[in-house]
Amino acid sequence: MEGMMGEMGGMMGMDPGMGQMGFDPGMGQMGFDPGMGQMGFDPGMGNDPGQMYGNEFMNPGENMMPGQNNQMFGNNNIMENNMPGQNQNDPEEQGFMGEMWNGVFYGPGQELALQQAQIAYPNGYMNGGQGENFGGGGSMVRMASPGQDTLMGQSNVQDTFVFNLSEANGFGSPEDPATIMNNAFGGDIIMDFDPADGDKIKIMDGGNALTPADAAGMLSVASNGVMYATYISGTSGVLFSSTQVELSNVLESNFTDV
């Protein structure tokens, strides 16, 4: 019996075939097969679209999470830079900073007036916002908006500066010399008004233009020694101001109704 057990033990524990199963080079190659090593470090893995770049410490099992876009990893900065409110180049984020159109600068808060000018003068963007006739010749209309404007005329161009009575800065306020000059600093400004070029000023009362005689009859000029403010007589409402001596007095010849 003992001999039989030894023989059986020898066959089971010492059988060369069994030993080969525990130490078979083929088995050893399975544990250390270069092919297995290549699976962990194969450069081809780096070129796999599903490879998670820059995430060496993440559980490989997470690569296969359902619905997960493995190509998004390593791009956190891109995602953060595109968060709403983070795009510093977006004009809507910065807000409207102002634009010159047809010789008139429309500042922040005057987007509506700018849109109206763009409709009325579709070529106003030309020559850096001065309009298509910049450089001389022809005629140009410079229309004031409800906000503060600086209306710049041009040499050798017949400029018409248009103002609306109801848009005078301080319209309807009681006449007061100090208030008039304060309103002048916050009102519209005329620059490069040249009667020799045929420049004129048109005063609108609603949808109607005042005749030169009517305009001259209801306006006055106040001065602080440097600036001349043209205002509605009997009020502190300033239509426009200028530093030009040509506008130091109300002259009927400076106005037009066409």
Side-chain angles (χ1 to χ4, degrees):
M1 180 65 71
E2 183 178 350
M4 291 178 64
M5 292 296 292
E7 184 177 355
M8 291 180 65
M11 291 175 63
M12 296 181 64
M14 304 298 295
D15 183 3
M18 293 295 287
Q20 290 172 1
M21 289 183 65
F23 303 96
D24 183 8
M27 292 294 288
Q29 291 170 0
M30 289 182 66
F32 303 96
D33 184 2
M36 292 292 287
Q38 290 172 1
M39 288 181 66
F41 304 96
D42 185 355
M45 293 286 288
N47 295 325
D48 187 348
Q51 180 74 18
M52 296 176 65
Y53 304 110
N55 292 277
E56 293 86 349
F57 300 104
M58 297 190 68
N59 185 343
E62 295 178 359
N63 294 355
M64 302 303 294
M65 289 292 290
Q68 184 170 349
N69 184 351
N70 293 334
Q71 292 179 334
M72 293 300 291
F73 290 98
N75 292 298
N76 291 336
N77 290 336
I78 296 176
M79 294 178 66
E80 291 175 359
N81 289 341
N82 286 321
M83 290 294 289
Q86 298 297 317
N87 187 349
Q88 299 301 318
N89 294 322
D90 188 347
E92 294 184 359
E93 293 294 336
Q94 294 180 348
F96 178 69
M97 302 303 293
E99 182 177 349
M100 180 72 73
W101 192 273
N102 203 44
V104 178
F105 180 77
Y106 297 89
Q110 296 181 325
E111 296 93 331
L112 179 59
L114 172 61
Q115 292 172 4
Q116 293 173 341
Q118 289 172 337
I119 295 172
Y121 309 104
N123 293 326
Y125 68 91
M126 299 175 67
N127 299 301
Q130 293 295 331
E132 61 183 326
N133 292 323
F134 181 73
S139 60
M140 294 290 293
V141 176
R142 318 289 183 181
M143 184 174 297
S145 71
Q148 184 180 21
D149 298 306
T150 296
L151 305 184
M152 176 74 74
Q154 296 174 215
S155 297
N156 301 317
V157 173
Q158 183 179 357
D159 299 296
T160 301
F161 301 88
V162 183
F163 300 91
N164 197 306
L165 282 176
S166 63
E167 294 173 1
N169 193 30
F171 177 77
S173 59
E175 184 172 0
D176 179 79
T179 303
I180 290 173
M181 295 315 301
N182 285 336
N183 288 339
F185 285 110
D188 296 329
I189 298 173
I190 290 181
M191 299 182 67
D192 198 8
F193 178 86
D194 190 351
D197 289 340
D199 292 354
K200 299 291 182 179
I201 299 170
K202 181 188 288 188
I203 307 299
M204 302 296 296
D205 184 8
N208 300 313
L210 298 180
T211 66
D214 288 342
M218 68 180 306
L219 299 176
S220 301
V221 174
S223 176
N224 61 1
V226 176
M227 179 180 290
Y228 306 103
T230 298
Y231 66 97
I232 302 172
S233 300
T235 77
S236 294
V238 176
L239 273 177
F240 58 85
S241 60
S242 177
T243 58
Q244 294 186 234
V245 67
E246 291 88 349
L247 297 174
S248 60
N249 293 288
V250 176
L251 301 176
E252 185 177 333
S253 60
N254 285 341
F255 296 92
T256 184
D257 57 358
V258 295

